[in-house]
Amino acid sequence: MSSTVPKGRINSTLRNFLDNEASGGLVLMAVAFVAILVANSPLEESYFHLLHAYIGPLSLQHWVNDALMAVFFLLVGLEIKREMLDGQLSSWSRRILPGAGAAAGMLAPALIYVFFNRDDPTALRGWAIPTATDIAFALGVISLLGSRVPASLKIFLAALAIIDDLGAVIVIAVFYTTDLNLMALAGAGVVLANLIVFNRMKVMALWPYLVLGAALWVMVFASGVHATLAGVMLALTIPLKLTPGTPEATPAESPLHRLEHALHKPVAFIVIPIFGFANAGVSLSGLTLDVFAEPLTMGVAAGLFLGKLVGVFGIVFVLVKIGLAQLPAQAGWGQMAGTAMLCGIGFTMSLFIGLLAFDDPNVQDHVKIGILLGSILSGVSGAATLAISGRRSSLRAA
């Protein structure tokens, strides 16, 4: 399929994707900072009261986390499908390095978390919290460095984070699903089967998919499986095909590309910032420095900061040295190390998994502190390493 697409179109699509994610990451940083300020200001009581106010059957926070985030997961699913079939992950040679990096970058943080919390069976439920990379945040940081970071590393980071998101979706489905309602699950299966029929019949209009997608969300929500996974299931049924009968057809005219393009900016600048504002706020009143030494907090922070670096950089180093892969074009080892550090920014998906893993608000606060600490350390150290490595590369080139 990609052979029919002008090269400029591919570059433009990728550039738009990176730009949207990077800009959205900068907005997310600002929103998270504001949420922390509000949660520790005279507005604290109003902030938490608003989040727990009920609108119909769900609280506002649940509407954000279960319904609004389903749109985010829909976009994640669309990105995964597009990249696997018609993008940077469309061949095994392109998948090896980011795929291995994502796998090792999930395993190492999980092991570090388990090491810190090995004596606490309850805390072990949060083992998956530090395994996720926040693509918007990470690309937001890397965008600040401009030309000091080669485009190949930005593509590597985006591809790794997309595979990482797929891993997180699988983890949520397998490990954070309880109390299944089999009737509702069967209903979700029927709706999904109809979506697949639409796909096989080459239905190119988007509205039938979106109407059934809303029904799918209701069924999945009622089934006990986390409702956001309905977004991923819907995404996988959206056709990635050229519109037949149009000689100048491009991927932008396929239903998947149309929907992905329509969702990018709303998700980056509305959905994720709302999620960040609703969930990043943590009250620091009553907390002491001892919280940073608690196994749960340390496990999350160290998992993100050290685990991602060891996992991503370690597997890339091994694969390159044994000849199974090559470093991204124009990138040096220092820049790869900095990029691996940025993978430790785990804000959005880590917060999401933390909320699924623990119901206790106090435990959730400790999780949030660990995520913030690990993400800040990863972001600052990764940016500094990339800046220094980029400067050295420029001097050598000169």
Side-chain angles (χ1 to χ4, degrees):
M1 180 184 296
S2 59
S3 62
T4 65
V5 183
K7 183 178 180 181
R9 179 68 64 122
I10 296 176
N11 291 336
S12 176
T13 300
L14 181 59
R15 191 182 305 112
N16 289 337
F17 167 77
L18 293 174
D19 288 345
N20 284 339
E21 293 288 350
S23 301
L26 299 178
V27 173
L28 182 56
M29 292 180 202
V31 168
F33 181 70
V34 170
I36 295 172
L37 288 181
V38 171
N40 293 276
S41 74
L43 297 173
E44 173 188 358
E45 185 176 347
S46 298
Y47 171 77
F48 288 108
H49 177 75
L50 178 63
L51 292 177
H52 293 100
Y54 270 75
I55 302 174
L58 300 174
S59 69
L60 178 60
Q61 188 168 39
H62 276 103
W63 277 117
V64 171
N65 294 347
D66 291 350
L68 196 61
M69 282 297 283
V71 181
F72 166 73
F73 275 79
L74 171 59
L75 180 60
V76 167
L78 294 171
E79 290 172 349
I80 290 171
K81 181 173 180 177
R82 173 179 54 77
E83 291 294 342
M84 294 292 287
L85 298 180
D86 192 41
Q88 292 300 315
L89 303 174
S90 59
S91 66
W92 284 108
S93 60
R94 291 179 173 182
R95 295 171 189 163
I96 289 176
L97 205 62
M106 295 184 74
L107 178 61
L111 291 176
I112 289 176
Y113 179 92
V114 169
F115 173 78
F116 276 96
N117 295 277
R118 60 191 181 279
D119 297 324
D120 187 345
T122 301
L124 285 175
R125 181 169 168 77
W127 64 270
I129 295 170
T131 63
T133 294
D134 191 302
I135 185 171
F137 244 127
L139 287 174
V141 172
I142 210 171
S143 71
L144 297 175
L145 299 169
S147 60
R148 293 183 183 180
V149 181
S152 61
L153 274 181
K154 297 177 183 179
I155 294 171
F156 167 81
L157 179 60
L160 183 148
I162 288 171
I163 299 174
D164 190 287
D165 281 344
L166 175 60
V169 168
I170 295 171
V171 165
I172 291 170
V174 174
F175 296 99
Y176 295 103
T177 294
T178 57
D179 302 326
L180 288 177
N181 181 325
L182 296 181
M183 288 295 292
L185 193 62
V190 172
V191 176
L192 182 61
N194 279 278
L195 285 166
I196 294 173
V197 169
F198 283 171
N199 179 287
R200 296 297 183 185
M201 292 176 62
K202 303 187 186 322
V203 175
M204 292 295 168
L206 276 172
W207 69 265
Y209 295 97
L210 298 180
V211 170
L212 282 185
L216 181 64
W217 182 88
V218 172
M219 291 295 182
V220 173
F221 177 83
S223 73
V225 177
H226 201 273
T228 51
L229 298 182
V232 178
M233 289 188 278
L234 171 61
L236 298 181
T237 66
I238 305 294
L240 178 62
K241 296 182 182 296
L242 301 180
T243 306
T246 307
E248 295 81 17
T250 68
E253 294 172 328
S254 77
L256 186 145
H257 284 82
R258 295 202 310 272
L259 183 57
E260 185 182 9
H261 179 74
L263 289 178
H264 256 145
K265 288 184 179 179
V267 167
F269 298 111
I270 299 176
V271 173
I272 294 302
I274 289 176
F275 172 82
F277 184 77
N279 292 284
V282 54
S283 175
L284 302 178
S285 60
L287 294 178
T288 65
L289 292 177
D290 293 340
V291 70
F292 294 102
E294 291 186 5
L296 191 149
T297 307
M298 287 294 293
V300 173
L304 287 170
F305 179 51
L306 297 177
K308 287 292 185 179
L309 172 60
V310 171
V312 175
F313 183 80
I315 195 65
V316 168
F317 183 83
V318 170
L319 291 177
V320 171
K321 289 302 180 181
I322 64 177
L324 287 181
Q326 294 180 334
L327 277 176
Q330 300 178 329
W333 284 112
Q335 291 169 312
M336 176 54 70
T339 303
M341 292 175 189
L342 291 186
C343 292
I345 302 175
F347 191 77
T348 305
M349 197 68 82
S350 292
L351 278 177
F352 192 81
I353 295 175
L355 295 172
L356 294 179
F358 302 110
D359 296 324
D360 188 335
N362 291 324
V363 176
Q364 291 178 353
D365 283 348
H366 292 175
V367 168
K368 292 176 183 179
I369 291 171
I371 292 171
L372 291 171
L373 179 60
S375 296
I376 291 171
L377 288 173
S378 298
V380 171
S381 59
T385 302
L386 282 168
I388 294 170
S389 301
R391 189 179 301 117
R392 288 175 178 172
S393 297
S394 299
L395 291 174
R396 284 196 298 269

